[in-house]
Amino acid sequence: MTFDALDNWWWPFLFILVGGWLATDAWRFLGVYLGDRLSEDSDLLVLVRALATALVAAVIGNLIVFPSGALVDTALALRIGAACAGFVAYIWLGRKILVGIVAAEVILLVGMWSF
């Protein structure tokens, strides 16, 4: 069955709802089911954490190198500098994620307003 299979007004909404549910919730239920059976220090969980971290880093890198919206008008050096400064603030100020995010945003906003 395809997105255009029915002419009813509700069909696209049902298609998106079911497709979105099958793509995400099935894996969540499987994770909850298997989560109790895994040790936090197991090799499988270390691999999963490493893959999740790599995916987040790839998305952030993609947003820095190929921005959209208001960031298109900023220099690449400013975006890279703000990300590096946010990471340094995160490390030096107690490994608090919010501190790193705020520091990077402040530097990015100051750079955008200055130039």
Side-chain angles (χ1 to χ4, degrees), residues 37-62:
R37 292 165 179 74
L38 292 175
S39 168
E40 270 191 50
D41 299 330
S42 71
D43 289 339
L44 181 61
L45 227 49
V46 170
L47 174 67
V48 168
R49 264 186 260 143
L51 288 173
T53 303
L55 285 172
V56 170
V59 168
I60 291 170
N62 194 20

Side-chain angles (χ1 to χ4, degrees), residues 19-106:
W21 178 82
L22 289 175
T24 60
D25 280 356
W27 295 106
R28 290 179 186 167
F29 291 138
L30 185 63
V32 168
Y33 177 72
L34 295 175
D36 280 345
R37 292 165 179 74
L38 292 175
S39 168
E40 270 191 50
D41 299 330
S42 71
D43 289 339
L44 181 61
L45 227 49
V46 170
L47 174 67
V48 168
R49 264 186 260 143
L51 288 173
T53 303
L55 285 172
V56 170
V59 168
I60 291 170
N62 194 20
L63 289 172
I64 290 172
V65 177
F66 303 109
S68 62
L71 289 178
V72 171
D73 298 331
T74 61
L76 178 62
L78 176 62
R79 296 189 303 265
I80 292 173
C84 291
F87 179 69
V88 168
Y90 164 76
I91 295 294
W92 280 0
L93 299 174
R95 295 186 181 261
K96 294 182 174 35
I97 293 174
L98 186 61
V99 170
I101 292 170
V102 169
E105 285 183 8
V106 165

Side-chain angles (χ1 to χ4, degrees), residues 1-7 11-13 15-16:
M1 197 163 273
T2 65
F3 183 75
D4 296 325
L6 300 175
D7 288 333
W11 173 244
F13 299 107
F15 189 85
I16 291 169

